[in-house]
Amino acid sequence: MVTADTARTIVGIIGNVISFFLFASPLPTFVKIYKKKAVEEFKPDPYIATAMNCMLWIFYGLPMVHPDSVLVVTINSIGLAMELIYLSIFFLYAPNKGRAKVIGWLALEILFLGVVAACTLTLRKTHAQRSDLVGILCAIFGVLMYASPLTIMRKVIKTKSVKYMPFYLSLANFLNGVIWVTYALIRFDLYILIGNGLGALSGAIQLILYACYFKSALKDDDENDVVKPSELQLSGSNGPARPTV
């Protein structure tokens, strides 16, 4: 008989795999940016939000905060590395205003994480207290990360085109949220549940919008002979977001 811990580990490994592909999904976009030497209409906001989300979840999963969370740390470490690579490419080809935005926000994020780490380790003495403090912050930033696609979804509704909202990224976002919600329910973890529940909901809405407007995107591609940007990161990663775990 499979124990709860074994089931949780299996689900967590599956979540790591899905989350990896979610984090890797923007690669085609950045290949295009590299080839064109320009960022065009793409914004760094989702990548900045996801980087902060990954940093907080890495801290949350450390043994001194929330023990037995190795799978949370591994996937978010990979995610953070990939987000920093994406932001570096964006920085390289962005105008000065875009570069200043990337540097400014990353500096603020690092400073914020330092303050959180110092307060958590000095003012909170037990694992439960530390988990609650960092978990609440993770949930808050998870909400912000999953709010980042709202501008894209609004654009989809306004233009009636999913040109800048790729199907496979939306699908990966949805599946990632579902698998990490399952992970959180096997051995209840409220903070992972909240963040990834939002991720699953966000992904579901994106898929619904895609179903409504994908024919318009096909028509645009045929008329303009333009290859649709295949990966504009919307989350989210759960997150997780990319994930948010």
Side-chain angles (χ1 to χ4, degrees):
M1 182 177 180
V2 178
T3 65
D5 285 341
T6 301
R8 189 171 186 263
T9 299
I10 293 172
V11 172
I13 292 173
I14 296 172
N16 268 240
V17 173
I18 296 176
S19 295
F20 173 79
F21 284 108
L22 183 61
F23 284 128
S25 60
L27 280 173
T29 290
F30 285 92
V31 169
K32 291 172 185 175
I33 289 175
Y34 173 76
K35 289 181 178 179
K36 293 183 178 181
K37 313 297 183 186
V39 297
E40 298 181 324
E41 294 186 43
F42 296 108
K43 306 295 182 184
D45 304 37
Y47 311 98
I48 293 171
T50 304
M52 182 74 257
N53 192 63
C54 287
M55 284 189 279
L56 282 172
W57 280 111
I58 290 170
F59 185 55
Y60 177 85
L62 293 179
M64 70 281 291
V65 178
H66 196 79
D68 302 319
S69 301
V70 174
L71 292 173
V72 173
V73 175
T74 55
I75 190 57
N76 282 285
S77 296
I78 293 171
L80 177 59
M82 297 179 76
E83 298 305 318
L84 292 178
I85 291 172
Y86 299 151
L87 287 171
S88 296
I89 296 173
F90 186 93
F91 178 86
L92 186 61
Y93 297 111
N96 290 336
K97 184 178 180 180
R99 293 179 177 182
K101 183 176 185 178
V102 170
I103 292 177
W105 277 107
L106 284 180
L108 285 174
E109 288 179 353
I110 293 172
L111 177 62
F112 177 76
L113 182 64
V115 172
V116 170
C119 292
T120 301
L121 297 178
T122 57
L123 301 180
R124 302 291 179 174
K125 303 303 180 183
T126 67
H127 287 138
Q129 291 175 339
R130 292 172 178 176
S131 296
D132 286 342
L133 175 60
V134 182
I136 290 171
L137 292 174
C138 286
I140 292 172
F141 278 90
V143 171
L144 295 177
M145 187 183 75
Y146 284 116
S148 64
L150 291 177
T151 55
I152 301 300
M153 287 189 276
R154 184 167 61 248
K155 186 173 183 178
V156 169
I157 295 172
K158 183 178 180 180
T159 63
K160 301 186 184 305
S161 171
V162 293
K163 182 177 181 180
Y164 290 98
M165 191 180 73
F167 171 77
Y168 289 109
L169 182 57
S170 298
L171 178 61
N173 191 42
F174 172 71
L175 293 176
N176 184 68
V178 169
I179 198 68
W180 284 106
V181 163
T182 304
Y183 176 89
L185 290 174
I186 292 175
R187 196 171 76 189
F188 191 73
D189 189 313
L190 177 63
Y191 305 112
I192 292 178
L193 179 62
I194 291 173
N196 288 282
L198 291 172
L201 178 61
S202 174
I205 294 173
Q206 291 168 36
L207 291 175
I208 292 171
L209 288 176
Y210 196 93
C212 293
Y213 299 118
F214 81 99
K215 290 183 179 179
S216 297
L218 294 176
K219 183 178 179 181
D220 289 342
D221 287 344
D222 290 338
E223 291 178 351
N224 301 319
D225 193 27
V226 175
V227 177
K228 178 176 63 179
S230 60
E231 312 301 340
L232 175 61
Q233 183 160 337
L234 302 181
S235 81
S237 179
N238 95 265
R242 49 13 12 33
T244 58
V245 298

